[in-house]
Amino acid sequence: MSNDYNFAYLDEQTKRMIRRGLLKSIAIPGYQVPFASREMPMPYGWGTGGVQVTSACLVPEDKIKVIDQGADDTTNAVSIRQFFEKTAKVETTTHTEKASLIQTRHRIPEHDLDENQILVYQVPIPEPLRFLEPRESETRKMHALTEYGLMHVKLYEDIAHHGHIATSYAYPVKVEGRYVMDPSPIPKFDNPKMSMCPALQLFGAGREQRLYAIPPYCEVISLDFEDHPFTRLKANAECELCSANNSYLDEVIIDDEGNRMFVCSDTHYCEARQADGHRGKRNRLDQEGYDATHI
Amino acid sequence: MQPIFEATGISKSYGHILGCSNINLSLYSGEVMGIVGESGSGKSTLLNCLSAQIMPDQGEVIFRSPSRGEVDILKLSEAEQRYLARTEWAYVHQNPRDGLRMSVSAGGNVGERLMNIGNRHYGNIRTKAEDWMSRVELDTSRIDHRPSTFSGGMQQRLQIARNLVTEPRLIFMDEPTGGLDVSVQARLLDLLRSLVQELSLSVIIVTHDLAVIRMLADRMVVMKNGNVVEAGLADQVLDDPQHPYTQLLVSSILQV
Amino acid sequence: MFEISNLSKSFTLHHQGSTRIDVLSEVNFRVEKGECIALTGPSGAGKSTLMRMLYGNYLAEYGSIKINGEELVGAEPRHILSIRRHLLGYVSQFLRVLPRVPAIRVVAEPMIASGASPKAAEDRAIELLTRLRIPQTLWSLSPLTFSGGEQQRVNIARGFSHSYPAMLLDEPTASLDPDNRQTVLELIHEAKAKETAIIGIFHDQAARDDVCNREIKITALHTAKQVS
């Protein structure tokens, strides 16, 4: 099946259509642009939107990285990476700073991004108002007229029922003071990274057929109340492998007794720190030469 | 004193079917006007035209807004119409399910209009929601309950609180007591009447229940086949109807 | 004061063969400040119709009704309501109120509507309910639960709570016990002393003799006729 695919799988007309949509979405930060999403050789919900955006953006010189919940080595990440290796013959990497295009599901890498990079998000439900307003005609009108009170109703409900804003992922943001946007299900810990980010951030929702974007250096503000301000949320711990205390942590159950440990969700970040000699408590406790990746 | 609301020459047809024809009416601050007529008489079409929910074929609707002065509602942009509709206007639906968000708590329902106009202080929003719940005689301990757990009468009172929280000047009501038990109706009418007096609200109320007119309305308009056949002081029209249709309507009430 | 001239009224019953009933024709009279007059005449002569026309409740066919100089015939509904609020009190034969509203509020309402403070209105309501012997335990209850006589007294208290310059009384002493009847007559005398012009229907001859300065006899026109 070596050369039977067009470059990056999609035909040129389709890629052109998607690029036009992307240009429009970049011109109107946060605005959801409809596009004719194609059938992809993977099920909806596995990143078909992100894959189409990546496909439309790829050039042969690109070096791509794919992460799923921060990890380079999970099924979804591996198969999408292989998909582009096969269909576009581009180089792949796990190094955040070496990648020119990063496709992500549910995380923003810990390492700062730069102006030469594109971050492509996989989006399940692009409409932040959908939870409370099921009518598409009405939500479009609300966006058009900047009627965003309803978004705060959702946050109000959170506080009323939980005492604080319990939304911890897909936390709604306002882009450049205009459109309210769903940042895809990234943890709200990552929300501040979207603001004034030097990299281009593109969002693709395959099933819902929507594209949207945050151009570089855009202001992205997480919605909140004056008396319940937005807070980043992170486990109150440090990584037990690399001792990082400022990265987003996963809690991993490690045995049948229910013991658990906290590790960086961003695997490349964690490995890079360990390579630099940082050691977490589990690394220190174990004997010399312990291989963290086997836990 | 000028009317707060003035409609002139309102006409609306649906193809060959007449909705309402050349209707003129005005409403002063603190006045309650009832529009009565049987089903198909055009009263709902008229209410929808007056509240800019549908565009009439002809006519103008002047509203003297406390904040913006005199505006022709039908010439405003949709954004301005919608803004007005959730600040200085209110619309109470017959079925509270049409006017409430059933999946949002009572407090969220009342607070929505505040958040819509930019209120961003949770504590203040909640205090105001509690205040309005008690003003419509709802138990404030149920502020976090969904309206789906409320009775029909409670839902209707919640809908009224949700509408009045931004202290609108003009309220449109479409059969507000329509689906309620008689005992609950009386309580709601009493509540509406005291709110109208207390807040000096102007109300246009569409109903086919003449008892509602008798208890709430200062003035009334009788509609038949898209036309106003009689208008005047509510008790005068009810007690001394002039038009054959009004006489029929009034004489058809069962006495208990 | 009332100035009534050329006042006429007929009813057309469109659904009963378009029958036209002429009730009043060219009624003329005046009632001066502080004067109380009684409408008399046989039942069905049109006394109640005239009273309702004077309140704006029935439409005059033509003629003029002036209350303290304000024209009622042909007036805008809003103007009629304003006249009722400030100039013209009416004690009807039957109390018509919303369910659930407590008696004290029913009585205080006309005062509040005319612009009095809620406190002053409540004080006046308490005074009147006390004088008319409505037990204090009933004040916070809806008058709809009261006996006929109690309802009538609440109705009278309501009518007299605000000092109107003109009043209409429809059988104010009917169905009252002697003590309360006496109180109502006192209220009428007090109103007259405050220069209120009063028009009333009193079947109670003694009461009429006690409070009225004059009588005006309404005679039936008996001219119901068929109009095609």
Side-chain angles (χ1 to χ4, degrees):
Chain A
M1 61 191 287
S2 55
N3 278 330
D4 297 341
Y5 289 107
N6 189 36
F7 177 73
Y9 185 75
L10 289 175
D11 63 276
E12 292 304 313
Q13 291 305 324
T14 297
K15 286 195 280 187
R16 183 177 294 177
M17 174 271 293
I18 294 172
R19 285 178 200 136
R20 276 199 297 264
L22 288 172
L23 285 173
K24 181 168 179 179
S25 70
I26 292 164
I28 316 170
Y31 172 71
Q32 297 168 49
V33 180
F35 80 112
S37 178
R38 296 293 193 248
E39 291 289 335
M40 298 302 285
M42 63 185 70
Y44 288 131
W46 288 54
T48 54
V51 166
Q52 289 178 80
V53 171
T54 300
S55 170
C57 292
L58 275 185
V59 290
E61 300 75 39
D62 265 325
K63 188 178 269 194
I64 91 162
K65 167 181 164 85
V66 183
I67 52 173
D68 174 6
Q69 302 272 18
D72 292 281
D73 51 6
T74 53
T75 320
N76 199 222
V78 170
S79 60
I80 291 174
R81 203 159 52 224
Q82 286 177 351
F83 176 79
F84 285 113
E85 276 172 354
K86 252 183 210 155
T87 60
K89 308 231 175 311
V90 290
E91 239 186 293
T92 60
T93 179
T94 61
H95 286 255
T96 303
E97 61 274 32
K98 288 182 187 159
S100 59
L101 188 150
I102 304 170
Q103 181 171 332
T104 175
R105 173 175 174 267
H106 301 190
R107 271 313 308 277
I108 297 174
E110 302 292 352
H111 196 283
D112 287 342
L113 302 175
D114 64 41
E115 288 179 359
N116 298 315
Q117 294 179 305
I118 298 176
L119 184 60
V120 177
Y121 295 76
Q122 301 170 199
V123 181
I125 296 169
E127 180 48 69
L129 300 163
R130 181 65 68 241
F131 169 72
L132 292 163
E133 179 51 70
R135 290 168 295 176
E136 174 76 13
S137 58
E138 183 66 12
T139 54
R140 281 204 208 185
K141 201 165 271 177
M142 290 162 116
H143 282 294
L145 304 178
T146 343
E147 290 179 3
Y148 288 131
L150 196 56
M151 209 64 252
H152 274 84
V153 173
K154 183 179 188 296
L155 303 179
Y156 170 96
E157 291 291 285
D158 260 11
I159 305 172
H161 292 303
H162 306 288
H164 62 275
I165 299 178
T167 301
S168 55
Y169 63 94
Y171 191 103
V173 294
K174 192 167 217 179
V175 184
E176 281 290 294
R178 178 60 180 85
Y179 283 96
V180 163
M181 188 193 94
D182 184 326
S184 87
I186 59 170
K188 67 177 176 181
F189 174 85
D190 284 342
N191 270 20
K193 294 183 203 165
M194 289 189 289
S195 194
M196 303 312 283
C197 176
L200 172 63
Q201 301 174 77
L202 303 174
F203 298 77
R207 182 184 46 215
E208 303 291 325
Q209 312 194 322
R210 291 291 183 275
L211 302 169
Y212 51 101
I214 305 173
Y217 302 108
C218 272
E219 187 185 56
V220 178
I221 291 177
S222 304
L223 302 181
D224 61 2
F225 285 103
E226 289 156 17
D227 48 346
H228 285 268
F230 171 80
T231 48
R232 284 181 100 173
L233 183 75
K234 159 184 181 301
N236 186 20
E238 61 177 41
C239 175
E240 295 180 24
L241 298 180
C242 76
S243 78
N245 58 11
N246 57 354
S247 71
Y248 191 73
L249 300 176
D250 284 339
E251 190 176 18
V252 185
I253 296 174
I254 49 175
D255 59 27
D256 289 347
E257 270 73 60
N259 286 313
R260 49 196 71 199
M261 67 184 275
F262 287 102
V263 290
C264 292
S265 129
D266 185 337
T267 52
H268 166 253
Y269 179 76
C270 195
E271 282 159 20
R273 275 179 58 86
Q274 290 175 61
D276 286 348
H278 295 285
R279 283 287 179 275
K281 77 177 177 201
R282 199 162 292 270
N283 256 349
R284 285 195 296 271
L285 285 175
D286 287 313
Q287 65 272 37
E288 215 46 74
Y290 179 86
D291 185 354
T293 54
H294 285 166
I295 287 182
Chain B
M1 194 169 107
Q2 283 184 305
I4 186 170
F5 185 80
E6 229 171 334
T8 14
I10 301 293
S11 299
K12 173 74 189 172
S13 300
Y14 304 96
H16 296 299
I17 300 164
L18 181 68
C20 59
S21 163
N22 195 26
I23 309 282
N24 301 298
L25 49 86
S26 59
L27 189 71
Y28 287 84
S29 182
E31 228 177 11
V32 179
M33 173 150 67
I35 302 176
V36 300
E38 60 201 356
S39 304
S41 61
K43 56 190 198 297
S44 295
T45 296
L46 177 60
L47 190 72
N48 287 333
C49 287
L50 296 178
S51 57
Q53 309 211 20
I54 56 174
M55 269 307 217
D57 304 328
Q58 273 169 25
E60 64 172 16
V61 178
I62 300 292
F63 175 59
R64 294 197 172 81
S65 152
S67 68
R68 330 184 16 170
E70 188 174 309
V71 287
D72 183 347
I73 296 306
L74 303 173
K75 293 210 175 78
L76 292 180
S77 69
E78 190 178 15
E80 292 172 305
Q81 283 176 352
R82 284 169 66 110
Y83 183 78
L84 211 58
R86 52 169 200 260
T87 51
E88 292 176 19
W89 287 12
Y91 194 104
V92 176
H93 295 262
Q94 172 174 6
N95 185 347
R97 285 169 180 274
D98 296 335
L100 291 171
R101 291 192 191 279
M102 298 308 280
S103 60
V104 169
S105 70
N109 264 293
V110 179
E112 181 176 344
R113 277 169 77 115
L114 296 172
M115 294 181 241
N116 265 328
I117 57 169
N119 207 312
R120 292 290 177 264
H121 190 284
Y122 174 82
N124 294 350
I125 292 167
R126 201 166 168 83
T127 309
K128 259 201 151 157
E130 274 172 343
D131 176 39
W132 271 99
M133 280 183 73
S134 57
R135 286 174 86 163
V136 299
E137 302 165 28
L138 287 170
D139 180 359
T140 51
S141 70
R142 300 200 61 181
I143 188 167
D144 294 330
H145 294 196
R146 288 183 178 182
S148 49
T149 66
F150 287 13
S151 70
M154 289 165 70
Q155 287 179 4
Q156 197 57 294
R157 276 178 278 143
L158 184 66
Q159 192 193 176
I160 289 164
R162 170 179 159 91
N163 272 287
L164 291 186
V165 69
T166 48
E167 294 176 16
R169 302 314 314 152
L170 177 61
I171 307 188
F172 300 96
M173 294 189 186
D174 186 8
E175 303 273 9
T177 58
L180 302 176
D181 289 345
V182 181
S183 59
V184 179
Q185 277 189 17
R187 185 175 179 190
L188 190 75
L189 286 173
D190 176 31
L191 174 73
L192 285 174
R193 207 166 75 141
S194 44
L195 288 171
V196 163
Q197 276 178 2
E198 199 182 315
L199 306 168
S200 189
L201 300 172
S202 309
V203 181
I204 296 179
I205 184 165
V206 159
T207 182
H208 61 258
D209 185 348
L210 296 181
V212 171
I213 300 291
R214 168 94 57 197
M215 292 193 186
L216 278 183
D218 301 312
R219 285 199 289 138
M220 70 185 281
V221 157
V222 183
M223 288 192 75
K224 186 175 196 305
N225 297 336
N227 289 289
V228 170
V229 295
E230 189 163 355
L233 196 63
D235 63 276
Q236 182 260 301
V237 174
L238 290 174
D239 291 337
D240 187 16
Q242 306 293 310
H243 190 273
Y245 177 69
T246 319
Q247 290 189 354
L248 179 67
L249 204 65
V250 170
S251 65
S252 305
I253 304 172
L254 295 174
Q255 300 285 333
V256 283
Chain C
M1 61 188 268
F2 294 91
E3 295 162 275
I4 291 139
S5 45
N6 296 328
L7 192 62
S8 299
K9 176 70 182 171
S10 66
F11 293 102
T12 306
L13 307 176
H14 292 284
H15 296 282
Q16 291 167 46
S18 290
T19 308
R20 183 182 147 103
I21 305 168
D22 290 315
V23 184
L24 298 168
S25 170
E26 305 279 332
V27 174
N28 290 284
F29 66 93
R30 285 169 68 95
V31 182
E32 302 298 334
K33 284 179 187 167
E35 201 183 15
C36 175
I37 67 115
L39 301 178
T40 60
S43 179
K47 299 189 297 292
S48 290
T49 298
L50 176 57
M51 289 287 268
R52 283 167 169 258
M53 286 167 75
L54 295 177
Y55 196 58
N57 181 232
Y58 281 4
L59 216 54
E61 202 168 341
Y62 58 88
S64 157
I65 302 168
K66 282 190 180 152
I67 292 155
N68 273 27
E70 302 274 347
E71 179 62 62
L72 203 61
V73 177
E76 285 285 310
R78 200 166 61 89
H79 191 56
I80 298 177
L81 288 175
S82 162
I83 290 173
R84 286 181 184 177
R85 205 169 293 136
H86 301 287
L87 302 178
L88 184 61
Y90 184 35
V91 177
S92 62
Q93 281 194 68
F94 304 103
L95 181 66
R96 200 176 229 164
V97 291
L98 269 179
R100 269 188 6 122
V101 180
I104 190 155
R105 235 179 79 199
V106 169
V107 176
E109 213 169 41
M111 269 196 89
I112 293 172
S114 73
S117 77
K119 176 79 179 85
E122 191 180 308
D123 289 348
R124 175 74 175 151
I126 288 170
E127 181 204 327
L128 285 165
L129 288 169
T130 311
R131 282 183 69 183
L132 286 160
R133 299 171 185 80
I134 304 286
Q136 191 170 351
T137 45
L138 297 183
W139 294 357
S140 58
L141 303 177
S142 164
L144 290 183
T145 61
F146 295 4
S147 73
E150 284 163 343
Q151 287 197 11
Q152 174 63 354
R153 278 178 278 149
V154 170
N155 200 18
I156 290 166
R158 177 180 163 87
F160 280 93
S161 71
H162 176 58
S163 301
Y164 298 102
M167 278 189 87
L168 302 166
L169 307 176
D170 195 352
E171 296 276 16
T173 57
S175 75
L176 294 183
D177 59 85
D179 287 346
N180 283 312
R181 176 177 168 277
Q182 195 53 42
T183 306
V184 171
L185 295 180
E186 280 165 26
L187 285 171
I188 296 172
H189 279 297
E190 285 167 25
K192 284 174 72 180
K194 286 186 202 157
E195 301 214 310
T196 300
I198 299 171
I199 298 176
I201 300 174
F202 303 88
H203 283 138
D204 173 352
Q205 178 72 47
R208 204 192 302 166
D209 294 343
D210 184 32
V211 295
C212 293
N213 307 75
R214 292 186 282 139
E215 291 183 7
I216 287 175
K217 194 170 170 75
I218 308 289
T219 46
L221 283 169
H222 293 303
T223 50
K225 59 188 175 196
Q226 202 80 10
V227 181
S228 63

